[in-house]
Amino acid sequence: MNLRQLEAFRATMRSGSITEAAEMLHISQPSVSRLIGDLERSVGFPLFLRSGRGLTATVEAKTFYQGVEGMFVSVDRLRELAESIRTTTGGVISIGTIQSIATIELPKALNKLYRRYDDINFMVHSRNTPAILDAVQLHQFDLGIVGRQPPYEGVEVLSQLAAPYVCLMPEDHPIADQPGAVDLEEIVDKENFVTFGGVFPDAMSSIDSDLSRRMQRRSRISATNIPVAASMVRETGVFAIADPFSAEQAVRMGEVVFRPIQQDLRYYISLIVPGREHLSRQALELADILSAQLSERVEAVNNFST
């Protein structure tokens, strides 16, 4: 296989059409079809099923596409790096972050370096934890911010924090302004919950298995990120158990509040790098700023919980 074949496959997967893929690549439709055919012969399995005028990706193609996208992240990174080298003398800092840190904490920390160094370019990529781990291991990101408890393979952990989960609810709910922490055991059979990606709350550390099953039974809505979950909380009146960073994002959107939880459920945040020796002084400075900032936020939430 070669890069041109993979480009044709990627464009076809993204567009769902040979015609649109040809337009994206500025080549003819027969050329795209030929490249796809050559790639199918190379990998040894069909990539698309032809149905009328449309195309349907096979199960094997969808799995293969994940690896192809990972490869193109590296290619895109090289293009971005080349552009940075052409346009600045100060270099580039590439950051991969989970969604809960992407819109409040990271911009605040990054702004301090942005104003201090006018010759540094910043590239921010929002990914999930497994994708960030892979990218940091492959030196695609200088700094990774992940939401999972170590150990990690092939990376160096600069810092790790454990923050308490909180209970997100509509601001007009009867218990929204009550003092003290919410006991999940008391509300689990009365309230409905929104889950995250169908795996929450099992992904929470130290949750009681019986409580987890009861919460799962009370969940009819699953969301992939906190803005969607917050919208569901706001519109349907369901509850969500969220990390404090995501909860703050939701509160800023309006009409929801969060309260501490009596159960000791912990959300882990780690800053990871390919190796300290591979980082610029400015990248290490950003990591230090972000680590201190996250520590302050966790301390504030711990004080709020008590």
Side-chain angles (χ1 to χ4, degrees):
M1 68 186 73
N2 58 51
L3 182 61
R4 199 57 173 163
Q5 294 169 1
L6 296 175
E7 286 178 334
F9 169 65
R10 185 192 190 206
T12 305
M13 287 292 293
R14 286 186 163 189
S15 65
S17 163
I18 293 289
T19 301
E20 293 184 24
E23 293 176 356
M24 291 170 60
L25 297 174
H26 306 291
I27 60 177
S28 67
Q29 295 179 40
S31 294
V32 173
S33 297
R34 177 177 53 78
L35 289 168
I36 294 296
D38 290 344
L39 182 59
E40 287 179 325
R41 284 187 287 274
S42 178
V43 299
F45 51 79
L47 298 171
F48 298 100
L49 301 176
R50 279 73 177 176
S51 55
R53 293 188 175 182
L55 289 178
T56 301
T58 64
V59 173
E60 293 82 1
K62 293 176 182 178
T63 302
F64 186 60
Y65 177 65
Q66 296 176 8
V68 170
E69 274 297 328
M71 184 206 73
F72 274 98
V73 167
S74 299
V75 174
D76 292 341
R77 168 81 168 114
L78 288 174
R79 293 191 180 113
E80 292 168 349
L81 181 59
E83 175 65 20
S84 174
I85 293 172
R86 284 197 302 270
T87 59
T88 183
T89 59
V92 58
I93 300 175
S94 181
I95 307 129
T97 178
I98 51 176
Q99 180 63 33
S100 61
I101 307 299
T103 60
I104 297 179
E105 300 297 340
L106 178 58
K108 285 168 59 179
L110 190 149
N111 181 55
K112 296 178 181 178
L113 261 69
Y114 180 82
R115 296 185 180 279
R116 190 175 305 163
Y117 304 107
D118 59 6
D119 59 347
I120 297 292
N121 282 4
F122 300 90
M123 300 175 189
V124 180
H125 306 261
S126 181
R127 301 279 192 275
N128 60 27
T129 287
I132 295 170
L133 281 169
D134 289 343
V136 172
Q137 289 170 356
L138 294 173
H139 293 245
Q140 294 168 352
F141 296 152
D142 299 311
L143 176 65
I145 308 164
V146 296
R148 183 197 296 171
Q149 188 175 8
Y152 310 126
E153 295 293 333
V155 299
E156 179 180 348
V157 179
L158 293 183
S159 67
Q160 181 194 355
L161 297 168
Y165 276 92
V166 296
C167 186
L168 194 65
M169 64 188 70
E171 63 181 6
D172 59 355
H173 193 279
I175 72 169
D177 58 356
Q178 291 182 7
V182 174
D183 186 349
L184 295 180
E185 292 284 358
E186 292 183 358
I187 68 169
V188 67
D189 297 320
K190 303 174 186 177
E191 303 293 341
N192 293 319
F193 296 85
V194 57
T195 62
F196 295 89
V199 297
F200 174 88
D202 283 341
M204 293 189 299
S205 177
S206 304
I207 189 170
D208 178 77
S209 58
D210 179 66
L211 176 60
S212 175
R213 286 191 295 270
R214 291 161 66 191
M215 291 177 68
Q216 295 274 5
R217 288 198 295 266
R218 298 291 296 187
S219 174
R220 295 169 52 204
I221 303 173
S222 178
T224 56
N225 57 55
I226 191 62
V228 175
S231 297
M232 296 302 172
V233 172
R234 184 181 303 107
E235 297 298 331
T236 67
V238 299
F239 281 30
I241 309 305
D243 66 87
F245 307 102
S246 298
E248 183 180 0
Q249 296 178 30
V251 169
R252 293 192 181 196
M253 294 168 62
E255 300 183 42
V256 299
V257 298
F258 66 83
R259 288 182 53 196
I261 295 173
Q262 184 171 315
Q263 283 74 18
D264 184 22
L265 306 178
R266 295 283 157 176
Y267 177 76
Y268 290 91
I269 292 283
S270 296
L271 272 62
I272 61 173
V273 296
R276 188 182 296 265
E277 68 277 8
H278 298 293
L279 299 187
S280 66
R281 175 175 56 85
Q282 291 85 357
L284 286 171
E285 186 176 352
L286 175 60
D288 289 340
I289 291 172
L290 184 58
S291 179
Q293 188 175 293
L294 293 176
S295 296
E296 291 177 4
R297 177 63 181 156
V298 170
E299 183 178 359
V301 174
N302 283 329
N303 291 336
F304 171 68
S305 300
T306 57

